Amino acid sequence: MFKFTFDFTEENAIHFALFCILNAPLFKWANRVALALLLTIPLLPILFFLQDLLSDAPWEFDELLIRTVLTTVLCIVLYRIYTHLSERTATRAVLRRLEAMRAAHMFGIRIVSFEAMHIVERSEHTERTIAYRSITDVSLSDKGIYLFTAPTEAIVLPLYIFASEEEKRQILALVRAKVSP
């Protein structure tokens, strides 16, 4: 059916590892919660102002403005710290995955053949036969097509291996048709 020969590089591995990390449910959830919290915290001075206003306590508008600005600045700084730590964690995870891939001799020339019942992936050191039914997810990123067989394991097809956009669509259609009964 289809057969692709390409050089699987560290750049391909980095893109795949980042895709896995950034699209992990826990990572997405943590980022959403952090952003939601840090966007709502600056509203606290306004809420306190409204509470004092309703209880007829005198509150200065300048004080409200200063508290709101300071709280907003604090939240921006906290969000920058959070994103920095999150990026460092992701970078460490990518480096660990790269080391594991180097140790497993995963870089170099690969031949991926799409046959009637399975996919055969050959490299200099290994040969894997993957049944279509063992593919759990098919994902498309801006750098490749990932045919997941486990949450962090996939057949990686860099986009540069496809001769045309039509060939890429044909591969995606073939795999999706074989994966879903």
Side-chain angles (χ1 to χ4, degrees):
M1 291 178 120
F2 290 100
K3 184 176 185 177
F4 299 99
T5 303
F6 61 95
D7 187 15
F8 185 73
T9 63
E10 287 188 8
E11 183 180 345
N12 301 131
I14 289 170
H15 289 297
F16 172 67
L18 280 174
F19 181 83
C20 288
I21 292 166
L22 297 177
N23 290 298
L26 184 61
F27 186 83
K28 285 182 174 180
W29 180 82
N31 279 342
R32 287 183 189 134
V33 167
L35 186 61
L37 285 174
L38 294 174
L39 287 177
T40 56
I41 289 174
L43 298 176
L44 289 177
I46 296 170
L47 292 175
F48 289 138
F49 173 72
L50 291 175
Q51 180 185 9
D52 285 346
L53 192 65
L54 292 174
S55 67
D56 295 323
W59 228 51
E60 295 290 327
F61 183 74
D62 295 342
E63 185 181 348
L64 168 69
L65 186 61
I66 291 169
R67 283 185 185 209
T68 304
V69 168
L70 289 176
T71 307
T72 304
V73 169
L74 174 68
C75 286
I76 291 169
V77 169
L78 288 175
Y79 188 71
R80 274 306 304 147
I81 291 170
Y82 170 78
T83 55
H84 176 73
L85 292 175
S86 181
E87 289 167 359
R88 285 187 63 196
T89 303
T91 302
R92 274 186 260 142
V94 167
L95 291 174
R96 278 193 306 272
R97 287 185 186 188
L98 278 175
E99 287 302 316
M101 290 176 140
R102 280 189 201 105
H105 303 288
M106 296 187 74
F107 301 115
I109 302 297
R110 282 197 182 174
I111 301 169
V112 179
S113 302
F114 292 85
E115 298 176 358
M117 300 303 288
H118 52 266
I119 301 169
V120 178
E121 184 181 34
R122 293 181 185 92
S123 69
E124 185 178 335
H125 300 281
T126 61
E127 180 174 319
R128 295 188 319 163
T129 301
I130 299 107
Y132 286 104
R133 69 180 183 280
S134 61
I135 295 174
T136 59
D137 188 25
V138 178
S139 296
L140 176 64
S141 78
D142 59 340
K143 299 290 183 179
I145 296 174
Y146 308 121
L147 309 176
F148 284 91
T149 55
T152 59
E153 187 177 324
I155 299 169
V156 177
L157 301 170
L159 292 181
Y160 63 79
I161 69 171
F162 299 106
S164 66
E165 189 70 26
E166 182 59 33
E167 187 177 46
K168 179 179 82 173
R169 277 195 289 270
Q170 288 175 346
I171 287 294
L172 283 169
L174 168 78
V175 173
R176 286 181 174 144
K178 299 267 186 181
V179 167
S180 54

